[in-house]
């Protein structure tokens, strides 16, 4: 019998789907819904989202609504900003 004390999980492209987890683009609407009620310091999320949308407009000329924001690209923007 093999020792089952340790497990190795390999995460990568396609893992979320197979595990039944939502993908980033499916999470975005839930994130926006939660962010709508944030207050205090937590509402900085909404400010960052507005800044990101302005950044996209200034750099690409594209006007995107909150619903059209690419969640993963927004997270990359926040990673660089913070």
């Amino acid at each position: 019998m093999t020792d089952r004390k340790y497990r190795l999980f390999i995460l990568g492209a396609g893992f979320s789907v197979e595990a039944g987890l939502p993908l980033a683009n499916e999470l975005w609407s839930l994130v926006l819904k939660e962010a709508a009620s944030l207050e205090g310091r937590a509402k900085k999320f909404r400010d960052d989202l507005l800044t990101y949308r302005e950044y996209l407009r200034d750099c690409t000329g594209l006007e995107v609504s909150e619903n059209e924001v690419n969640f993963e690209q927004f997270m990359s923007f926040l990673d660089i900003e913070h």
Side-chain angles (χ1 to χ4, degrees), residues 47-77:
D47 298 336
D48 287 339
L49 180 55
L50 178 60
T51 300
Y52 176 68
R53 290 173 60 216
E54 291 170 349
Y55 165 79
L56 282 179
R57 184 195 64 224
D58 294 346
C59 292
T60 67
L62 297 174
E63 294 277 347
V64 295
S65 70
E66 288 183 350
N67 292 323
E68 295 171 317
V69 167
N70 179 299
F71 187 30
E72 293 181 56
Q73 290 175 355
F74 177 52
M75 291 295 107
S76 295
F77 173 80

Side-chain angles (χ1 to χ4, degrees), residues 1-8:
M1 178 175 256
T2 60
D3 183 1
R4 295 185 183 209
K5 183 176 179 182
Y6 300 99
R7 290 194 173 112
L8 174 66

Side-chain angles (χ1 to χ4, degrees), residues 1 21 78:
M1 178 175 256
L21 301 171
L78 292 179

